[in-house]
Amino acid sequence: MSAEPLTPLSASTGRLPQGEEVKQNVASRQQRGKLWQASLLFSVFVGLLVLLLLAWNIVNDAFGGIAVQEAVEVEALTGGRELEELAQPELVAILEENLRSRVLRNLNREQPLAERDAENLIEVILFEIIKPEVVATFSLYDYLFNRAEIEAQLAQDFPRAELEFKSWLRWDFIVNPMSSNPIFAGVRTALLGTLWLLVLTILISFPLGLGAAIYLEEYQSDKIFDERKPVGRFFNRVIERSTSIISTNIYNLSGVPSIIYGMLGLAIFVRALEAFTSGSFFGANEGTTANGRTIISAALTMSLLVLPVVIISSQEAIKAVPSTLRQASLGLGATKWQTIWKIVLPNALPGILTGTILAISRAIGETAPLIVVGASTFIVTDPTSIFSKFTVLPIQIYNWTSRPQDEFRAIAAAAIITLLILLLSLNATAILLRNYLRSRRVS
Amino acid sequence: MAMKAIDPQYTADTKYALEVRNVDIYYSAFRAVKNCSFGMERNKITALIGPSGCGKSTVLRSLNRMNDLIAGARTEGEVLYRGQNLYDPDIDAVQVRRSIGMVFQKANPFPKSIYDNIAYGPRVNGWKGSKAEMDELVERALRGAVLWDEVKDDLKKSGLAISGGQQQRLCIARALAVEPEVILMDEPCSALDPISTLKIEELMFELRQRYSIVIVTHNMQQAARASDNTVFFLMDKEDRAGQIVEYGPTEQIFQSPKDERTEQYISGRFG
Amino acid sequence: MADQLRVNSDPRAALAGDAVKQVDLRKRPRIGETIIQTILYACGFISIFTTIGIVYVLGQESLRFFASDEVSLVEFFTNTVWQPVIGEFGILPLVNSTMMVTIIALMVAIPLGLAMAIYMAEYASERVRAFLKPVIELLAGIPTVVYGFFALTFVTPWLREIFGRDVVQIYNVMSAGLVVGILITPIIATLSEDALSAVPSGLRQASLGLGATKWETAIRVVVPAAFSGIVAASIVAMSRAIGETMVVALAAGASPQFTFNPFLPAETMTGHIARISGGDLSYQTIDYNSIFAIGLVLFFMTLTLNIVSRMIVRRFREVYE
Ligand SMILES: Nc1ncnc2c1ncn2[C@@H]1O[C@H](COP(=O)(O)OP(=O)(O)OP(=O)(O)O)[C@@H](O)[C@H]1O
Ligand SMILES: [Mg+2]
């Protein structure tokens, strides 16, 4: 393509590439672009990889192998039979043979052995005599791919131990209460605490957040007091100023670290309002040593934490309702509140609910403020009222992760999976709810 | 391979800077323009006119492959430039746009200084030269767009901080700075006041000596007074695809149109 | 019946009747509406109470802290030892390790998040974007304690594998910093993507129309145009990193140390607050008061960053409106 030269602006300094040069220039630039594009894509893959590693890391710990060593082997105890095959009197006999008299006396005082059922007796036998002990824990990867090595090691260190597959996440784990032995420990108390906290936080933050959002979106410019009187004008001015402060303030609050909310909760709800939050004012003293460190304190703290996000997302949802709808309603002589209640809110509800649930599911994963507010790390009693002591899943995860033993790490991973499943189902609920409400409005 | 792309009939003094042959343009399944053939003469101004939605912008964008940026847009047929079909798989869109520049309906200066707006094109296109030479290039481009006298003291000012008409001329200057051969303009004056419009029209006449210009316009007077050739598009009522009704020297189109629809449109009776 | 018919048949009579009826258009007090509006206003006002509460609580306890004989304001901000047991209250080691974590985190998150944002805004097809957005949201939605678990059980062993066990301690700033970086990457990615997508497409077309390649357009036109948005995103992310607690509490160690070696353990401000308040804390002790003083510093650091980022965003918006 020997084209004639372009007519340059002036002959002296035409320094742009010409002719064949252009082709080379463009080709090299295109190539550079492709390289950069590849490196961008690489970054995206790094992100995906991290997510996969995170998931793998959890699964790797939550499942795997354990080496169990029993103080006394079942076979030796029963003469080769399974415990489940034995009749109740035989179980009692085993206990009476193998336990010291003091222990037996204690057990009998709780409930006479003869009166207990087989299931209970087996439990006691396991706990008191057989005492299965996890002597080593292995990750899923080691269990699957380094089997030979593990077994050699075990044979040397714990010849009597048996290697078996272990899913730390199992039904028992969900329904068992806390225990200092990781084998028996479960998340029941924490799960219940989390659910209590979830419900209470929704109950507190949803109406408050929605109210604030409605005010900010719909009533910003409306005067509460009579404009015709100077006093009314003055108060209207005050409210107007404070409203604009509220708006910016909400954004700033949404950026405050969550641990600071925890400190606020500690000073206000746990300490200053202790009479109310411990329930003693209402005569509902649990007899625990909870002080103000109760579910209600935690829920109030969490509500303050999520409030800015609930307000902002509700505002967005309200904003998305077309103003023509409002005008139509007002044009028919409806009052402002009638318009909001009958037109704006029903239309905005799907968005508001989704936003609220998403915000609160964030809060459910929060740990730091609850540490400060004083969630218990070790309790075995289920929460029964808003004035109960409590623990929650993230606190348990934190607590177990910070222990050095492998077994605790494994149950921490199992608790993480429980928490993530809970969060995912919350999010799924939010989405389903939104779709349901939307479809109902259309038909 | 590259040889195949070159039209054997092409010579340096072919009449047309750009030529469109049997072009159909689709947006996904919708055919927006059909069976379009016309040429744009060298160092002339070609005006594309027609009612709204008939595909003028679509055709204009196909001339330097700006349609590539729209997902689902597809061009069939040939657009010939220097004997090469721009839609040949070998052709690099970046090279095409380097030679066939574009000025948009809405002035879109970069949020940079006036100077950097102009220098941007040469810089990305591998300009080699000293700072002084760049200064000179910027000045020439601004003079070329008749903007120099208005902004020469404020080259550091943001390109967004000047009037709409000045912004549009800045965009033209910016296009000139990469020394294209053809300049495409899509309703460059639609957002401007009459005086700015007049300035840009005068500018086009100046530029015609060095460049070939294609302009889309809704303004009949503008087409009549500021163009050499005119292409009139109309939407086919049946499949809503735009097509060419008539094309020829502006004088002839405006004074003795061959097609009665052209006559009606020009006299403002429909569209 | 006959009467009715007659009335209906005479339109003028009907009109005259209406005109006689008085319509009162003056304002009527609507008590219900006013009450509702007041209640709603009160809901909004809670946010102001929250802010006042935070400032009051942090301020009051900090005052008690500084009023005690063991510390002075100067010592607090200049002493490089934090050891409450021996009465040393210098916040510098805590601030220093917080800043180290933050800087490491930003060094991870800015390139990674920005690259993701540019890819999504400028290159990804609709389909790819529809896949990536939820993935990024997923990353952002994972509880921070899970990231803490990841830091301690995955990143730390991995670092120790690479750099050697004697170099990298079990608890170290590096691991915490890297993971906090991962945790804030989604913030930078989504906020920057918003900023990049908000750049008018006219600018992209102008640049491409001048013969620039896609990459040149992205990096020389779109990114500079969205620059303030990107800076604001990074500042928001920085504020998140400073306030992040669980990762540092789990992975960075529990001893306040003034060190610049990222492989050593060093407690951050948030980590310290969490540890002290997680223990059996008795009120009215200097330990209790001290965490509020740290909280106050933390609060002002993050508040300043958030205000700055909002100012930048606001200025950015003005450019195109
Ligand atoms: N990006 C797009 N995606 C899908 N269809 C498009 C797109 N752009 C234009 N069209 C369609 O193609 C047809 C031609 O549009 P075009 O913008 O080319 O018209 P036009 O002649 O420039 O109109 P106007 O004078 O109003 O600018 C129209 O029917 C339009 O709806
Ligand atoms: Mg158009």
Side-chain angles (χ1 to χ4, degrees):
Chain A
M1 57 165 274
S2 59
E4 92 269 326
L6 291 176
T7 34
L9 286 167
S10 114
S12 65
T13 49
R15 293 297 198 84
L16 276 171
Q18 302 289 336
E20 273 306 305
E21 238 184 310
V22 176
K23 207 166 192 171
Q24 276 172 14
N25 171 272
V26 171
S28 80
R29 283 159 52 210
Q30 289 280 41
Q31 195 155 15
R32 201 171 340 133
K34 284 273 172 310
L35 274 176
W36 277 106
Q37 184 180 353
S39 64
L40 294 182
L41 195 59
F42 175 76
S43 303
V44 173
F45 277 118
V46 168
L48 291 178
L49 184 73
V50 167
L51 196 59
L52 288 179
L53 282 177
L54 197 71
W56 161 247
N57 180 233
I58 294 164
V59 169
N60 191 27
D61 278 341
F63 304 92
I66 48 170
V68 183
Q69 185 165 294
E70 296 169 343
V72 182
E73 293 200 18
V74 179
E75 281 74 17
L77 218 55
T78 61
R81 290 199 289 165
E82 295 289 323
L83 278 177
E84 283 76 10
E85 295 170 20
L86 299 177
Q88 198 260 0
E90 290 174 281
L91 292 169
V92 175
I94 292 180
L95 276 172
E96 284 173 346
E97 260 169 54
N98 290 286
L99 288 180
R100 269 174 296 159
S101 57
R102 195 168 52 83
V103 183
L104 271 177
R105 229 179 302 129
N106 280 344
L107 281 171
N108 270 317
R109 200 179 310 133
E110 271 175 32
Q111 192 186 5
L113 287 182
E115 288 170 24
R116 300 185 184 216
D117 59 5
E119 206 178 313
N120 182 287
L121 289 173
I122 292 177
E123 220 171 85
V124 176
I125 292 176
L126 276 178
F127 201 79
E128 297 286 345
I129 306 172
I130 299 178
K131 294 185 188 157
E133 190 194 353
V134 176
V135 288
T137 307
F138 304 100
S139 67
L140 187 59
Y141 179 84
D142 286 339
Y143 180 75
L144 292 178
F145 304 112
N146 290 338
R147 195 61 166 276
E149 228 170 276
I150 291 178
E151 278 173 353
Q153 186 71 29
L154 269 184
Q156 197 182 347
D157 295 349
F158 307 98
R160 282 200 302 123
E162 273 178 42
L163 183 66
E164 51 187 69
F165 177 76
K166 172 84 175 172
S167 162
W168 294 91
L169 181 70
R170 63 208 188 284
W171 184 244
D172 281 355
F173 180 73
I174 308 288
V175 296
N176 278 2
M178 265 304 275
S179 162
S180 54
N181 183 343
I183 301 284
F184 299 116
V187 289
R188 173 212 183 101
T189 330
L191 194 57
L192 286 173
T194 291
L195 292 176
W196 270 90
L197 190 62
L198 173 69
V199 172
L200 282 176
T201 308
I202 291 180
L203 287 181
I204 298 169
S205 66
F206 180 69
L208 290 179
L210 183 56
I214 295 174
Y215 185 82
L216 292 175
E217 280 307 309
E218 303 283 337
Y219 282 106
Q220 278 264 24
S221 51
D222 271 36
K223 314 269 190 279
I224 294 183
F225 297 100
D226 195 340
E227 269 291 288
R228 287 166 294 187
K229 300 192 188 104
V231 185
R233 271 204 296 274
F234 172 74
F235 278 111
N236 283 337
R237 283 281 261 325
V238 171
I239 287 177
E240 209 173 294
R241 284 287 307 150
S242 65
T243 308
S244 77
I245 295 176
I246 289 173
S247 304
T248 33
N249 189 40
I250 285 171
Y251 275 97
N252 288 334
L253 277 181
S254 68
V256 171
S258 60
I259 197 167
I260 303 259
Y261 282 95
M263 304 178 84
L264 178 69
L266 173 64
I268 303 281
F269 301 130
V270 176
R271 285 193 61 199
L273 300 178
E274 186 174 342
F276 301 97
T277 52
S278 68
S280 58
F281 180 80
F282 306 98
N285 208 324
E286 294 254 320
T288 59
T289 49
N291 315 320
R293 300 171 175 243
T294 52
I295 297 184
I296 186 68
S297 295
L300 287 168
T301 309
M302 279 308 190
S303 298
L304 290 187
L305 172 68
V306 294
L307 210 48
V309 191
V310 172
I311 294 176
I312 292 170
S313 66
S314 302
Q315 272 182 286
E316 303 279 305
I318 292 174
K319 234 181 250 169
V321 177
S323 59
T324 48
L325 287 184
R326 282 186 196 94
Q327 287 157 12
S329 168
L330 291 171
L332 292 170
T335 64
K336 188 130 196 174
W337 176 248
Q338 287 168 327
T339 303
I340 293 170
W341 188 247
K342 300 225 163 83
I343 305 292
V344 178
L345 286 187
N347 278 289
L349 198 63
I352 294 173
L353 281 181
T354 325
T356 307
I357 295 181
L358 290 182
I360 289 173
S361 79
R362 266 301 145 77
I364 286 311
E366 275 288 352
T367 321
L370 294 182
I371 295 179
V372 181
V373 169
S376 318
T377 45
F378 190 93
I379 48 171
V380 286
T381 48
D382 295 345
T384 52
S385 80
I386 57 172
F387 302 121
S388 300
K389 284 200 297 184
F390 72 102
T391 183
V392 290
L393 279 173
I395 294 279
Q396 283 316 317
I397 296 169
Y398 169 57
N399 184 21
W400 285 333
T401 305
S402 51
R403 307 276 191 92
Q405 298 95 325
D406 287 342
E407 297 84 58
F408 280 109
R409 178 164 299 178
I411 56 174
I416 286 177
I417 295 181
T418 316
L419 177 64
L420 291 180
I421 290 175
L422 182 71
L423 290 181
L424 277 182
S425 38
L426 262 179
N427 286 336
T429 313
I431 292 166
L432 290 179
L433 197 64
R434 183 184 55 193
N435 292 349
Y436 170 71
L437 289 172
R438 286 227 175 114
S439 68
R440 240 187 28 168
R441 284 211 67 74
V442 172
S443 55
Chain B
M1 198 63 188
M3 287 310 293
K4 213 178 68 192
I6 294 181
D7 180 356
Q9 281 158 28
Y10 175 77
T11 55
D13 44 35
T14 302
K15 188 172 162 201
Y16 297 129
L18 264 175
E19 190 181 353
V20 174
R21 286 190 193 159
N22 300 322
V23 160
D24 287 356
I25 306 172
Y26 296 81
Y27 290 111
S28 304
F30 170 60
R31 182 160 66 168
V33 173
K34 69 177 177 187
N35 203 13
C36 184
S37 302
F38 67 100
M40 284 142 277
E41 281 183 75
R42 232 172 254 290
N43 295 25
K44 292 268 168 67
I45 300 176
T46 306
L48 311 185
I49 62 170
S52 183
C54 66
K56 306 176 298 287
S57 303
T58 304
V59 168
L60 192 77
R61 283 199 301 262
S62 77
L63 298 180
N64 72 341
R65 296 196 40 183
M66 280 315 252
N67 277 338
D68 289 14
L69 306 178
I70 299 170
R74 187 160 47 86
T75 306
E76 284 175 4
E78 292 182 324
V79 177
L80 295 174
Y81 166 72
R82 290 173 169 250
Q84 299 176 85
N85 176 13
L86 298 186
Y87 286 88
D88 192 279
D90 282 352
I91 297 291
D92 185 311
V94 171
Q95 278 197 56
V96 170
R97 297 184 196 128
R98 154 90 167 69
S99 318
I100 306 175
M102 189 153 192
V103 175
F104 300 82
Q105 175 169 2
K106 197 167 160 270
N108 52 1
F110 301 128
K112 301 171 186 284
S113 70
I114 292 174
Y115 185 97
D116 286 335
N117 259 284
I118 308 271
Y120 174 82
R123 278 180 188 150
V124 296
N125 281 303
W127 160 272
K128 289 192 203 70
S130 64
K131 170 85 174 70
E133 281 167 327
M134 180 59 93
D135 292 348
E136 199 190 318
L137 178 74
V138 170
E139 179 175 342
R140 261 188 291 133
L142 283 171
R143 279 190 193 285
V146 205
L147 187 59
W148 175 250
D149 291 330
E150 289 159 66
V151 299
K152 63 178 176 227
D153 301 322
D154 283 326
L155 293 178
K156 287 254 150 34
K157 201 153 116 186
S158 162
L160 292 161
I162 51 181
S163 79
Q166 288 172 329
Q167 287 187 13
Q168 193 60 295
R169 275 179 284 148
L170 175 61
C171 292
I172 294 175
R174 186 174 65 183
L176 299 183
V178 290
E179 298 171 11
E181 191 174 352
V182 183
I183 300 178
L184 311 175
M185 300 184 174
D186 192 348
E187 302 183 43
C189 306
S190 68
L192 303 183
D193 66 301
I195 298 202
S196 305
T197 303
L198 202 66
K199 277 195 179 151
I200 294 201
E201 281 173 18
E202 282 166 1
L203 172 59
M204 276 165 28
F205 263 93
E206 286 282 311
L207 295 176
R208 186 168 66 156
Q209 294 167 11
R210 293 200 189 106
Y211 309 92
S212 315
I213 296 176
V214 186
I215 176 172
V216 170
T217 176
H218 268 283
N219 182 333
M220 284 310 109
Q221 283 107 24
Q222 184 172 50
R225 69 181 172 241
S227 74
D228 303 299
N229 294 310
T230 298
V231 188
F232 173 52
F233 286 83
L234 203 56
M235 198 193 277
D236 185 330
K237 286 200 184 60
E238 266 148 46
D239 58 1
R240 301 178 29 80
Q243 58 185 355
I244 296 179
V245 173
E246 194 168 350
Y247 115 78
T250 301
E251 226 156 276
Q252 178 243 307
I253 295 266
F254 276 82
Q255 272 154 28
S256 49
K258 294 199 187 87
D259 197 297
E260 122 194 52
R261 289 170 294 176
T262 318
E263 159 104 64
Q264 284 173 339
Y265 181 71
I266 286 164
S267 53
R269 256 175 282 156
F270 81 93
Chain C
M1 190 67 181
D3 273 358
Q4 247 177 331
L5 273 176
R6 204 176 312 138
V7 170
N8 280 353
S9 63
D10 186 353
R12 268 180 305 167
L15 263 178
D18 261 1
V20 173
K21 225 189 285 167
Q22 270 281 313
V23 179
D24 187 358
L25 290 174
R26 281 175 303 167
K27 272 189 184 165
R28 256 174 306 171
R30 286 188 217 279
I31 302 295
E33 295 270 322
T34 311
I35 291 175
I36 288 170
Q37 193 176 347
T38 313
I39 292 174
L40 296 179
Y41 174 74
C43 291
F45 204 79
I46 288 177
S47 80
I48 298 212
F49 271 134
T50 310
T51 311
I52 295 175
I54 290 175
V55 174
Y56 173 76
V57 163
L58 296 180
Q60 193 207 22
E61 301 290 344
S62 306
L63 277 184
R64 291 215 183 112
F65 175 66
F66 290 120
S68 77
D69 314 329
E70 297 185 48
V71 272
S72 70
L73 214 54
V74 177
E75 187 206 338
F76 185 67
F77 285 111
T78 52
N79 190 348
T80 58
V81 182
W82 181 280
Q83 274 190 5
V85 192
I86 54 166
E88 297 275 7
F89 291 98
I91 199 175
L92 281 182
L94 301 176
V95 173
N96 175 57
S97 41
T98 292
M99 286 331 287
M100 274 200 335
V101 168
T102 306
I103 287 167
I104 295 171
L106 288 176
M107 289 196 314
V108 173
I110 290 181
L112 205 57
L114 195 54
M116 286 180 179
I118 296 177
Y119 187 80
M120 288 212 296
E122 304 296 313
Y123 287 92
S125 67
E126 238 4 271
R127 283 239 304 293
V128 173
R129 208 183 316 202
F131 166 73
L132 283 180
K133 277 229 153 177
V135 168
I136 293 184
E137 271 162 28
L138 198 64
L139 269 174
I142 294 174
T144 54
V145 70
V146 178
Y147 281 104
F149 178 85
F150 183 63
L152 192 64
T153 65
F154 186 88
V155 178
T156 300
W158 179 70
L159 284 175
R160 300 187 80 191
E161 202 68 41
I162 294 178
F163 296 102
R165 276 157 194 277
D166 36 340
V167 179
V168 185
Q169 305 284 306
I170 290 188
Y171 297 108
N172 64 78
V173 170
M174 183 57 110
S175 168
L178 291 177
V179 174
V180 171
I182 294 169
L183 185 137
I184 60 174
T185 298
I187 298 177
I188 297 192
T190 43
L191 293 181
S192 306
E193 207 245 342
D194 290 347
L196 292 170
S197 303
V199 173
S201 64
L203 296 186
R204 289 185 188 86
Q205 291 177 11
S207 168
L208 293 169
L210 289 169
T213 62
K214 205 163 184 177
W215 168 252
E216 286 160 350
T217 303
I219 210 68
R220 301 180 74 152
V221 174
V222 184
V223 169
F227 191 67
S228 41
I230 293 169
V231 171
S234 308
I235 294 177
V236 168
M238 182 176 177
S239 142
R240 259 304 292 279
I242 290 177
E244 170 47 40
T245 309
M246 294 323 294
V247 176
V248 292
L250 280 169
S255 52
Q257 269 195 64
F258 192 81
T259 170
F260 293 104
N261 181 347
F263 293 130
L264 294 183
E267 196 165 50
T268 65
M269 294 195 279
T270 52
H272 186 75
I273 296 175
R275 178 166 65 88
I276 297 298
S277 59
D280 274 329
L281 186 65
S282 45
Y283 312 137
Q284 313 301 358
T285 58
I286 192 150
D287 263 11
Y288 177 81
N289 294 334
S290 76
I291 62 172
F292 285 86
I294 299 170
L296 191 65
V297 174
L298 185 65
F299 177 70
F300 277 117
M301 280 168 86
T302 53
L303 186 70
T304 314
L305 288 174
N306 286 327
I307 290 176
V308 168
S309 85
R310 265 175 72 72
M311 267 162 45
I312 293 176
V313 168
R314 205 166 304 151
R315 191 164 304 163
F316 167 62
R317 284 219 189 100
E318 278 162 12
V319 174
Y320 296 112
E321 275 166 13

